[in-house]
Amino acid sequence: MNNGMNKQIYPLLVAQFLSAFADNAIVFAVIAMVMQATQPASWYVPALQSVFLVAFVVLAPWVGAFADQFAKARVLIVANLIKATGAGLLLLNLEPLIAYSLVGVGAALYSPAKYGILPELAGHNQLVKANSWIEGSTILAILSGMVVGAKVADYSISWALTGTVTLFLISALTTWFLPKIGRAHV
């Protein structure tokens, strides 16, 4: 019996870490951008923080079914490209509520594909171990993304946004190295 983890999972671990890191770093960049540009209305920053989460609530009934229709590795790539587009639109000074909600759409799409691909990569015997690695790396990405995102946004908002775009793109590229399992429509 092999106790090591299936090596096919490593690109997913890297891609998930980068994507979750950027998801959390961008929060600080977009809030800093809004606070620096104007004196926003009291409702604006909470609304900004909410649009990311609203995408999960609104899209929840459909994103899982969508992820099941296509090769999950391709869905992960598309989701990261959507997030990169939202971050890029922030760089171009599009209305932050719209641009950041697009990042939320990508994140909502990413989540079911991330968990759906695990059984395909790990198999039944390694699923619990693979899931624990995904969860552990996600927690690490959240915490480090928050710290680094805040520090970089304090230094330069454009660097912080450029960094998140870059991380989403690297995550998408890393996902390209996952095995092409499942439906191959995307």
Side-chain angles (χ1 to χ4, degrees):
M1 175 186 251
N2 180 7
N3 286 331
M5 193 161 52
N6 183 334
K7 295 199 183 330
Q8 293 178 333
I9 293 173
Y10 295 136
L12 179 63
L13 281 170
V14 171
Q16 164 56 21
F17 179 87
L18 295 173
S19 189
F21 183 100
D23 283 347
N24 287 279
I26 197 171
V27 172
F28 294 92
V30 71
I31 290 172
M33 182 178 90
V34 167
M35 298 302 287
Q36 189 179 65
T38 63
Q39 184 62 26
S42 61
W43 58 266
Y44 194 86
V45 171
L48 186 62
Q49 293 171 307
S50 297
V51 295
F52 184 91
L53 298 174
V54 167
F56 278 89
V57 174
V58 171
L59 298 176
W62 298 284
V63 291
F66 179 83
D68 282 342
Q69 290 180 349
F70 302 99
K72 290 172 187 57
R74 297 295 175 251
V75 175
L76 294 172
I77 291 169
V78 168
N80 270 319
L81 293 177
I82 291 169
K83 292 193 281 186
T85 301
L89 292 173
L90 286 166
L91 263 171
L92 297 174
N93 291 316
L94 183 76
E95 168 55 47
L97 289 170
I98 294 168
Y100 192 52
S101 68
L102 190 58
V103 176
V105 168
L109 182 58
Y110 193 93
S111 191
K114 169 184 69 175
Y115 287 110
I117 200 170
L118 272 178
E120 296 173 3
L121 295 175
H124 180 72
N125 293 337
Q126 295 291 315
L127 186 56
V128 172
K129 187 176 198 173
N131 192 37
S132 67
W133 275 97
I134 288 290
E135 286 301 312
S137 68
T138 300
I139 300 288
L140 182 60
I142 289 168
L143 296 174
S144 58
M146 289 168 46
V147 171
V148 172
K151 292 287 185 191
V152 175
D154 281 346
Y155 178 74
S156 169
I157 294 166
S158 62
W159 279 37
L161 291 172
T162 301
T164 58
V165 169
T166 302
L167 290 175
F168 288 136
L169 294 175
I170 293 171
S171 178
L173 181 62
T174 303
T175 305
W176 189 262
F177 294 101
L178 288 171
K180 311 314 182 256
I181 301 171
R183 293 192 173 109
H185 299 352
V186 173

